[in-house]
Short mmCIF file of all heavy atoms in Angstrom, two decimals:
data_model
loop_
_atom_site.label_atom_id
_atom_site.label_comp_id
_atom_site.label_asym_id
_atom_site.label_seq_id
_atom_site.Cartn_x
_atom_site.Cartn_y
_atom_site.Cartn_z
N LEU B 464 -20.75 7.23 10.69
CA LEU B 464 -21.83 7.69 9.84
C LEU B 464 -21.95 9.20 10.03
O LEU B 464 -22.05 9.67 11.16
CB LEU B 464 -23.12 6.99 10.25
CG LEU B 464 -24.25 6.96 9.25
CD1 LEU B 464 -23.85 6.25 7.98
CD2 LEU B 464 -25.47 6.31 9.85
N VAL B 465 -21.93 9.93 8.96
CA VAL B 465 -22.01 11.38 9.09
C VAL B 465 -23.13 11.93 8.22
O VAL B 465 -23.55 11.32 7.24
CB VAL B 465 -20.68 12.09 8.70
CG1 VAL B 465 -19.56 11.69 9.59
CG2 VAL B 465 -20.34 11.84 7.25
N GLU B 466 -23.59 13.07 8.62
CA GLU B 466 -24.64 13.74 7.87
C GLU B 466 -23.96 14.80 7.02
O GLU B 466 -23.11 15.54 7.52
CB GLU B 466 -25.60 14.40 8.84
CG GLU B 466 -26.90 14.77 8.22
CD GLU B 466 -27.98 14.94 9.29
OE1 GLU B 466 -27.67 14.81 10.49
OE2 GLU B 466 -29.09 15.22 8.91
N VAL B 467 -24.34 14.88 5.77
CA VAL B 467 -23.71 15.88 4.92
C VAL B 467 -24.63 17.09 4.87
O VAL B 467 -25.80 16.99 4.50
CB VAL B 467 -23.47 15.32 3.51
CG1 VAL B 467 -22.70 16.32 2.67
CG2 VAL B 467 -22.70 14.02 3.59
N GLN B 468 -24.13 18.22 5.30
CA GLN B 468 -24.94 19.44 5.36
C GLN B 468 -24.24 20.56 4.62
O GLN B 468 -23.00 20.60 4.61
CB GLN B 468 -25.09 19.90 6.82
CG GLN B 468 -25.98 19.01 7.64
CD GLN B 468 -26.07 19.51 9.07
OE1 GLN B 468 -25.37 20.44 9.47
NE2 GLN B 468 -26.93 18.88 9.84
N PRO B 469 -25.01 21.48 4.06
CA PRO B 469 -24.35 22.63 3.43
C PRO B 469 -23.63 23.44 4.50
O PRO B 469 -24.14 23.58 5.61
CB PRO B 469 -25.50 23.45 2.84
CG PRO B 469 -26.69 22.59 2.93
CD PRO B 469 -26.46 21.54 3.96
N ALA B 470 -22.46 23.90 4.17
CA ALA B 470 -21.68 24.67 5.16
C ALA B 470 -22.33 26.03 5.39
O ALA B 470 -22.96 26.59 4.49
CB ALA B 470 -20.27 24.85 4.64
N LYS B 471 -22.19 26.53 6.62
CA LYS B 471 -22.72 27.87 6.91
C LYS B 471 -21.90 28.89 6.15
O LYS B 471 -20.71 28.70 5.93
CB LYS B 471 -22.61 28.13 8.42
CG LYS B 471 -23.68 27.43 9.21
CD LYS B 471 -23.47 27.73 10.68
CE LYS B 471 -24.35 26.82 11.51
NZ LYS B 471 -23.94 26.78 12.90
N LYS B 472 -22.57 29.97 5.78
CA LYS B 472 -21.85 31.01 5.02
C LYS B 472 -20.81 31.66 5.92
O LYS B 472 -21.12 32.14 7.00
CB LYS B 472 -22.83 32.04 4.49
CG LYS B 472 -23.59 31.54 3.29
CD LYS B 472 -23.99 32.68 2.38
CE LYS B 472 -24.42 32.13 1.02
NZ LYS B 472 -24.80 33.17 0.11
N ALA B 473 -19.60 31.62 5.45
CA ALA B 473 -18.51 32.16 6.26
C ALA B 473 -18.28 33.63 5.92
O ALA B 473 -18.55 34.07 4.81
CB ALA B 473 -17.25 31.37 6.00
N GLY B 474 -17.78 34.36 6.91
CA GLY B 474 -17.45 35.76 6.69
C GLY B 474 -16.15 35.88 5.91
O GLY B 474 -15.47 34.87 5.66
N LEU B 475 -15.82 37.10 5.53
CA LEU B 475 -14.63 37.32 4.71
C LEU B 475 -13.36 36.86 5.44
O LEU B 475 -12.51 36.17 4.87
CB LEU B 475 -14.54 38.81 4.36
CG LEU B 475 -13.55 39.15 3.23
CD1 LEU B 475 -14.01 38.54 1.93
CD2 LEU B 475 -13.40 40.65 3.12
N LEU B 476 -13.29 37.21 6.73
CA LEU B 476 -12.10 36.87 7.52
C LEU B 476 -11.96 35.34 7.66
O LEU B 476 -10.88 34.78 7.47
CB LEU B 476 -12.18 37.54 8.90
CG LEU B 476 -10.93 37.40 9.75
CD1 LEU B 476 -9.76 38.14 9.11
CD2 LEU B 476 -11.16 37.95 11.16
N SER B 477 -13.11 34.69 7.97
CA SER B 477 -13.09 33.22 8.11
C SER B 477 -12.65 32.57 6.82
O SER B 477 -11.89 31.60 6.82
CB SER B 477 -14.46 32.69 8.49
OG SER B 477 -15.00 33.44 9.50
N LYS B 478 -13.16 33.14 5.70
CA LYS B 478 -12.80 32.58 4.39
C LYS B 478 -11.30 32.69 4.15
O LYS B 478 -10.66 31.75 3.68
CB LYS B 478 -13.55 33.30 3.27
CG LYS B 478 -14.93 32.75 3.01
CD LYS B 478 -15.52 33.46 1.80
CE LYS B 478 -16.92 32.94 1.55
NZ LYS B 478 -17.57 33.69 0.48
N LEU B 479 -10.78 33.86 4.52
CA LEU B 479 -9.36 34.12 4.31
C LEU B 479 -8.52 33.15 5.16
O LEU B 479 -7.58 32.51 4.66
CB LEU B 479 -9.05 35.57 4.69
CG LEU B 479 -7.66 36.06 4.31
CD1 LEU B 479 -7.52 36.18 2.81
CD2 LEU B 479 -7.38 37.42 4.95
N ILE B 480 -8.91 33.02 6.43
CA ILE B 480 -8.16 32.12 7.33
C ILE B 480 -8.26 30.69 6.80
O ILE B 480 -7.27 29.96 6.74
CB ILE B 480 -8.70 32.22 8.77
CG1 ILE B 480 -8.36 33.59 9.34
CG2 ILE B 480 -8.12 31.12 9.66
CD1 ILE B 480 -9.01 33.93 10.64
N SER B 481 -9.46 30.32 6.37
CA SER B 481 -9.66 28.96 5.85
C SER B 481 -8.78 28.71 4.62
O SER B 481 -8.20 27.65 4.46
CB SER B 481 -11.13 28.78 5.52
OG SER B 481 -11.31 27.65 4.75
N ARG B 482 -8.69 29.73 3.75
CA ARG B 482 -7.84 29.61 2.56
C ARG B 482 -6.38 29.38 2.94
O ARG B 482 -5.70 28.53 2.38
CB ARG B 482 -7.92 30.89 1.72
CG ARG B 482 -9.10 30.93 0.82
CD ARG B 482 -8.70 30.51 -0.59
NE ARG B 482 -9.90 30.30 -1.38
CZ ARG B 482 -10.07 29.31 -2.22
NH1 ARG B 482 -9.14 28.41 -2.37
NH2 ARG B 482 -11.16 29.17 -2.91
N ILE B 483 -5.94 30.18 3.93
CA ILE B 483 -4.52 30.09 4.31
C ILE B 483 -4.22 28.76 4.99
O ILE B 483 -3.26 28.08 4.68
CB ILE B 483 -4.14 31.27 5.25
CG1 ILE B 483 -4.23 32.58 4.50
CG2 ILE B 483 -2.73 31.08 5.82
CD1 ILE B 483 -4.20 33.81 5.36
N THR B 484 -5.10 28.38 5.90
CA THR B 484 -4.78 27.18 6.70
C THR B 484 -5.09 25.88 5.99
O THR B 484 -4.37 24.91 6.13
CB THR B 484 -5.51 27.20 8.05
OG1 THR B 484 -6.91 27.34 7.78
CG2 THR B 484 -5.03 28.32 8.92
N SER B 485 -6.20 25.85 5.22
CA SER B 485 -6.54 24.56 4.62
C SER B 485 -6.33 24.54 3.12
O SER B 485 -6.31 23.48 2.51
CB SER B 485 -7.99 24.20 4.93
OG SER B 485 -8.84 25.12 4.31
N GLY B 486 -6.21 25.68 2.53
CA GLY B 486 -5.95 25.70 1.10
C GLY B 486 -7.20 25.50 0.26
O GLY B 486 -7.18 25.57 -0.93
N ARG B 487 -8.30 25.20 0.89
CA ARG B 487 -9.54 25.02 0.14
C ARG B 487 -10.72 25.28 1.05
O ARG B 487 -10.65 25.18 2.25
CB ARG B 487 -9.61 23.61 -0.44
CG ARG B 487 -9.68 22.54 0.61
CD ARG B 487 -9.60 21.19 -0.01
NE ARG B 487 -8.24 20.92 -0.46
CZ ARG B 487 -7.87 19.77 -1.00
NH1 ARG B 487 -8.74 18.82 -1.20
NH2 ARG B 487 -6.62 19.56 -1.35
N GLU B 488 -11.82 25.64 0.42
CA GLU B 488 -13.04 25.85 1.21
C GLU B 488 -14.03 24.79 0.81
O GLU B 488 -14.15 24.44 -0.35
CB GLU B 488 -13.65 27.20 0.85
CG GLU B 488 -13.00 28.37 1.54
CD GLU B 488 -13.55 29.64 0.97
OE1 GLU B 488 -14.78 29.80 0.96
OE2 GLU B 488 -12.75 30.44 0.47
N SER B 489 -14.76 24.27 1.77
CA SER B 489 -15.73 23.24 1.45
C SER B 489 -17.13 23.82 1.49
O SER B 489 -17.46 24.59 2.39
CB SER B 489 -15.60 22.11 2.46
OG SER B 489 -16.58 21.15 2.19
N ASP B 490 -17.94 23.49 0.49
CA ASP B 490 -19.33 23.94 0.50
C ASP B 490 -20.17 23.02 1.38
O ASP B 490 -21.31 23.31 1.69
CB ASP B 490 -19.89 23.93 -0.93
CG ASP B 490 -19.17 24.96 -1.78
OD1 ASP B 490 -18.69 25.94 -1.20
OD2 ASP B 490 -19.07 24.76 -3.00
N TRP B 491 -19.61 21.86 1.69
CA TRP B 491 -20.36 20.88 2.47
C TRP B 491 -19.55 20.50 3.70
O TRP B 491 -18.34 20.43 3.64
CB TRP B 491 -20.61 19.62 1.62
CG TRP B 491 -21.47 19.91 0.46
CD1 TRP B 491 -21.05 20.33 -0.77
CD2 TRP B 491 -22.89 19.88 0.40
NE1 TRP B 491 -22.12 20.55 -1.60
CE2 TRP B 491 -23.28 20.28 -0.91
CE3 TRP B 491 -23.89 19.56 1.31
CZ2 TRP B 491 -24.60 20.35 -1.30
CZ3 TRP B 491 -25.21 19.62 0.91
CH2 TRP B 491 -25.57 20.02 -0.38
N VAL B 492 -20.25 20.28 4.77
CA VAL B 492 -19.55 19.81 5.97
C VAL B 492 -20.15 18.49 6.41
O VAL B 492 -21.32 18.19 6.13
CB VAL B 492 -19.64 20.82 7.14
CG1 VAL B 492 -18.80 22.03 6.87
CG2 VAL B 492 -21.08 21.21 7.43
N GLU B 493 -19.35 17.70 7.08
CA GLU B 493 -19.82 16.41 7.58
C GLU B 493 -20.06 16.54 9.07
O GLU B 493 -19.22 17.04 9.81
CB GLU B 493 -18.77 15.34 7.31
CG GLU B 493 -18.63 15.07 5.82
CD GLU B 493 -17.39 14.28 5.49
OE1 GLU B 493 -16.61 13.98 6.41
OE2 GLU B 493 -17.21 13.98 4.31
N VAL B 494 -21.22 16.10 9.50
CA VAL B 494 -21.58 16.23 10.91
C VAL B 494 -21.77 14.84 11.49
O VAL B 494 -22.51 14.04 10.93
CB VAL B 494 -22.90 17.02 11.05
CG1 VAL B 494 -23.25 17.24 12.50
CG2 VAL B 494 -22.80 18.34 10.31
N PRO B 495 -21.09 14.50 12.59
CA PRO B 495 -21.26 13.15 13.15
C PRO B 495 -22.71 12.92 13.58
O PRO B 495 -23.37 13.84 14.05
CB PRO B 495 -20.34 13.14 14.37
CG PRO B 495 -19.55 14.36 14.28
CD PRO B 495 -20.21 15.32 13.39
N ILE B 496 -23.16 11.72 13.41
CA ILE B 496 -24.55 11.41 13.74
C ILE B 496 -24.62 10.80 15.13
O ILE B 496 -23.82 9.95 15.49
CB ILE B 496 -25.12 10.45 12.68
CG1 ILE B 496 -25.30 11.25 11.40
CG2 ILE B 496 -26.44 9.85 13.13
CD1 ILE B 496 -25.67 10.43 10.23
N SER B 497 -25.60 11.25 15.90
CA SER B 497 -25.73 10.75 17.27
C SER B 497 -26.22 9.30 17.24
O SER B 497 -26.75 8.82 16.23
CB SER B 497 -26.71 11.60 18.04
OG SER B 497 -27.99 11.40 17.50
N GLU B 498 -26.08 8.63 18.36
CA GLU B 498 -26.49 7.22 18.47
C GLU B 498 -27.97 7.07 18.11
O GLU B 498 -28.36 6.19 17.37
CB GLU B 498 -26.24 6.77 19.92
CG GLU B 498 -26.45 5.31 20.17
CD GLU B 498 -25.34 4.46 19.58
OE1 GLU B 498 -24.25 4.98 19.28
OE2 GLU B 498 -25.58 3.28 19.39
N ALA B 499 -28.80 8.00 18.63
CA ALA B 499 -30.24 7.90 18.40
C ALA B 499 -30.55 8.04 16.91
O ALA B 499 -31.29 7.23 16.34
CB ALA B 499 -30.94 9.00 19.17
N ASN B 500 -29.94 9.02 16.29
CA ASN B 500 -30.18 9.21 14.86
C ASN B 500 -29.71 8.02 14.06
O ASN B 500 -30.31 7.65 13.06
CB ASN B 500 -29.43 10.45 14.36
CG ASN B 500 -30.15 11.71 14.74
OD1 ASN B 500 -31.30 11.64 15.15
ND2 ASN B 500 -29.48 12.82 14.64
N TYR B 501 -28.61 7.45 14.52
CA TYR B 501 -28.03 6.30 13.82
C TYR B 501 -28.99 5.12 13.84
O TYR B 501 -29.20 4.46 12.83
CB TYR B 501 -26.69 5.94 14.48
CG TYR B 501 -26.11 4.65 14.01
CD1 TYR B 501 -25.80 4.47 12.67
CD2 TYR B 501 -25.89 3.60 14.89
CE1 TYR B 501 -25.28 3.28 12.22
CE2 TYR B 501 -25.37 2.42 14.45
CZ TYR B 501 -25.07 2.26 13.12
OH TYR B 501 -24.55 1.08 12.68
N ASN B 502 -29.63 4.90 15.00
CA ASN B 502 -30.58 3.79 15.10
C ASN B 502 -31.79 4.04 14.20
O ASN B 502 -32.29 3.13 13.56
CB ASN B 502 -31.04 3.60 16.55
CG ASN B 502 -29.91 3.04 17.38
OD1 ASN B 502 -29.02 2.38 16.85
ND2 ASN B 502 -29.90 3.33 18.67
N MET B 503 -32.22 5.28 14.16
CA MET B 503 -33.34 5.63 13.27
C MET B 503 -32.94 5.35 11.83
O MET B 503 -33.71 4.85 11.03
CB MET B 503 -33.66 7.12 13.39
CG MET B 503 -34.24 7.52 14.72
SD MET B 503 -35.87 6.87 14.97
CE MET B 503 -36.78 7.90 13.86
N GLN B 504 -31.70 5.67 11.55
CA GLN B 504 -31.18 5.49 10.20
C GLN B 504 -31.20 4.03 9.80
O GLN B 504 -31.59 3.68 8.69
CB GLN B 504 -29.73 6.01 10.19
CG GLN B 504 -29.03 5.91 8.87
CD GLN B 504 -29.75 6.70 7.82
OE1 GLN B 504 -30.15 7.82 8.06
NE2 GLN B 504 -29.95 6.10 6.67
N LEU B 505 -30.83 3.16 10.73
CA LEU B 505 -30.79 1.74 10.42
C LEU B 505 -32.18 1.19 10.11
O LEU B 505 -32.34 0.29 9.32
CB LEU B 505 -30.19 0.96 11.60
CG LEU B 505 -28.68 0.98 11.70
CD1 LEU B 505 -28.24 0.19 12.90
CD2 LEU B 505 -28.03 0.39 10.45
N LYS B 506 -33.20 1.78 10.76
CA LYS B 506 -34.56 1.31 10.53
C LYS B 506 -34.99 1.57 9.09
O LYS B 506 -35.66 0.77 8.47
CB LYS B 506 -35.53 1.99 11.51
CG LYS B 506 -35.46 1.37 12.89
CD LYS B 506 -36.41 2.07 13.82
CE LYS B 506 -36.12 1.63 15.25
NZ LYS B 506 -36.79 2.49 16.21
#
Side-chain angles (χ1 to χ4, degrees):
Chain B
L464 200 61
V465 298
E466 197 160 2
V467 185
Q468 289 179 354
K471 282 179 192 164
K472 283 208 165 181
L475 194 65
L476 187 66
S477 314
K478 275 185 181 174
L479 190 69
I480 292 170
S481 166
R482 277 262 168 221
I483 294 167
T484 56
S485 65
R487 65 186 74 177
E488 279 172 55
S489 177
D490 294 333
W491 296 88
V492 288
E493 292 166 358
V494 183
I496 289 172
S497 68
E498 187 73 19
N500 282 348
Y501 170 60
N502 289 334
M503 292 292 287
Q504 181 60 45
L505 280 180
K506 282 180 192 167

